[in-house]
Amino acid sequence: MKCTFELNSKGYIKQRESFDLEFKQSFHYGDSLALYCRSLVGMANNKGGELIFGIKDSPREPIGLKNDRFENCDPNRINQFLIAFFSHEIHWSIETLEYHGNSFGRISVEESSIKPVVCTAVYKNILREAAIYYRYRGETKEICYPELAAILQAEREKEKLLWLKHVEKIGEVGPQNIHLIDTFNGEISTGKGKILIDKSIVKALKFIKEGEFTEKKGAPTLKLIGEISGEVDTTNIPKTDFLYPYRFANFNEEMGINNFQFQAILWKLDVKGNAKYHTEISVGKSSLTHKYSQAFMDRLKSIMGRYPEWLNKTVEDFKKHRK
């Protein structure tokens, strides 16, 4: 993928490091990987951002990477480090760029949907357990009170909206028709009693939240144990339209994406089969229809808003993949 830099008369990059941009001259593993991940999490706790590799410091000169270490980097290595040392998943991507015959690296990260992302373990003198890292203008450091207070207030507002949606849903179907699934104690409260669920499959109950209880072919089956003192009204299990409200036509209408572009996006983001973003339901005896979640719509809008050329590059890569 090609990239551009805005240079001054001396050939130095005009843009300075900021809350969403950090330059690195080269790419390394070890302690450097911890520093990169700290910056990515700091940006995720802010508004997202990117690390650009191949930029000389003082002055900021685009010299390119001098070896293939970045190009040969296994993304899983970065992902495993993030999982091991931070509390929540963040969405990030890695790619190699070209500029005037030189190669550059970019690791970009989206704003986290759950904040704050907290450090869960110590790594030398770089990461501190329970620390919250935040990207300020030109530096990543532990968060200060004003930014932390703003994050917590925003999360409280999100929780209020979620409760309002739940209350509205209860009002629509009636309190007498609501059944609650307690994934901590392994119980389904029916209003008339409780159904106990085998603890060995309580963790698998996530598929109910994702709308796969009855509509997804091959979904797991609940094993019920003990005395059943009530019956679950399966007609009130969350509907696919609520959990996956979008079809391709919605993306076409809202974002102007044609069918081929949409297929390229699904391939690039590995959407199909990811229950967070996609499900398929049977229509008749032999047909399937594909539906997509609000999380997928939000993620796609975020990527395309931040990187205007991303869709064109994705389509080009998809064409090469099909060949």
Side-chain angles (χ1 to χ4, degrees):
M1 180 177 180
K2 293 183 179 180
C3 67
T4 58
F5 298 107
E6 188 176 356
L7 307 180
N8 61 22
S9 59
K10 295 182 179 180
Y12 304 147
I13 297 176
K14 290 183 179 181
Q15 192 172 7
R16 296 178 179 272
E17 291 188 328
S18 63
F19 72 91
D20 62 353
L21 179 64
E22 184 173 339
F23 294 129
K24 298 291 182 183
Q25 182 167 324
S26 53
F27 179 83
H28 301 282
Y29 291 106
D31 292 352
S32 293
L33 183 60
L35 290 168
Y36 305 153
C37 289
R38 186 178 71 177
S39 291
L40 290 174
V41 168
M43 291 175 178
N45 276 328
N46 195 332
K47 297 295 183 183
E50 57 189 17
L51 307 181
I52 304 294
F53 297 85
I55 309 298
K56 182 181 176 182
D57 190 25
S58 298
R60 295 179 299 277
E61 183 180 358
I63 60 175
L65 295 168
K66 302 306 179 184
N67 55 51
D68 59 0
R69 191 180 293 120
F70 182 90
E71 187 171 358
N72 294 331
C73 171
D74 181 2
N76 189 55
R77 189 166 179 177
I78 299 175
N79 204 49
Q80 290 303 314
F81 190 96
L82 289 167
I83 291 172
F85 287 92
F86 294 97
S87 59
H88 298 108
E89 176 189 11
I90 61 175
H91 294 296
W92 63 279
S93 60
I94 183 171
E95 58 187 334
T96 301
L97 312 172
E98 294 182 6
Y99 178 73
H100 288 186
N102 292 321
S103 293
F104 297 82
R106 177 166 70 187
I107 303 179
S108 56
V109 63
E110 299 174 30
E111 180 179 358
S112 179
S113 59
I114 302 176
K115 296 181 185 179
V117 181
V118 182
C119 183
T120 58
V122 173
Y123 183 90
K124 298 185 178 180
N125 63 341
I126 298 174
L127 300 177
R128 185 179 67 83
E129 184 179 3
I132 299 171
Y133 296 104
Y134 192 82
R135 181 68 182 180
Y136 292 90
R137 184 171 295 278
E139 66 173 335
T140 301
K141 64 179 184 179
E142 291 192 30
I143 196 167
C144 297
Y145 174 75
E147 289 72 33
L148 178 58
I151 285 177
L152 296 178
Q153 180 61 33
E155 290 301 304
R156 283 194 290 268
E157 291 301 320
K158 285 165 57 177
E159 186 174 350
K160 287 180 183 178
L161 290 174
L162 185 59
W163 275 112
L164 285 174
K165 289 181 179 179
H166 288 328
V167 171
E168 288 174 358
K169 179 57 65 175
I170 292 173
E172 288 177 10
V173 302
Q176 70 277 12
N177 295 319
I178 295 296
H179 306 305
L180 301 179
I181 300 175
D182 181 351
T183 57
F184 182 79
N185 294 311
E187 299 175 347
I188 301 177
S189 298
T190 66
K192 301 176 183 178
K194 294 180 179 179
I195 297 176
L196 299 181
I197 306 167
D198 192 324
K199 288 186 177 181
S200 67
I201 63 163
V202 166
K203 291 182 180 180
L205 284 175
K206 183 180 179 184
F207 76 88
I208 292 178
K209 301 174 190 175
E210 294 168 346
E212 298 173 7
F213 189 78
T214 58
E215 293 184 334
K216 187 167 183 178
K217 212 169 183 179
T221 302
L222 287 177
K223 177 183 178 182
L224 305 179
I225 61 173
E227 183 179 352
I228 298 177
S229 56
E231 294 182 357
V232 175
D233 179 5
T234 58
T235 61
N236 285 312
I237 291 169
K239 304 301 182 187
T240 301
D241 284 343
F242 177 73
L243 298 165
Y244 300 90
Y246 298 106
R247 290 182 168 85
F248 161 68
N250 300 111
F251 293 87
N252 175 259
E253 181 180 348
E254 288 193 31
M255 307 173 70
I257 297 172
N258 63 41
N259 186 62
F260 188 80
Q261 290 172 326
F262 194 63
Q263 294 305 313
I265 290 169
L266 299 181
W267 165 78
K268 185 71 172 182
L269 299 181
D270 196 21
V271 170
K272 289 190 175 180
N274 184 343
K276 182 177 180 180
Y277 300 132
H278 164 262
T279 191
E280 57 183 30
I281 60 175
S282 298
V283 180
K285 294 183 178 180
S286 59
S287 298
L288 294 173
T289 186
H290 298 274
K291 303 193 72 178
Y292 306 92
S293 67
Q294 182 66 53
F296 175 52
M297 174 68 85
D298 293 343
R299 185 182 181 193
L300 184 57
K301 285 183 176 179
S302 175
I303 293 173
M304 293 181 63
R306 189 172 185 83
Y307 306 111
E309 295 300 319
W310 180 83
L311 181 57
N312 291 335
K313 176 60 168 55
T314 295
V315 170
E316 291 177 8
D317 291 343
F318 186 54
K319 289 178 179 177
K320 294 176 183 177
H321 171 74
R322 284 163 60 94
K323 292 179 181 178

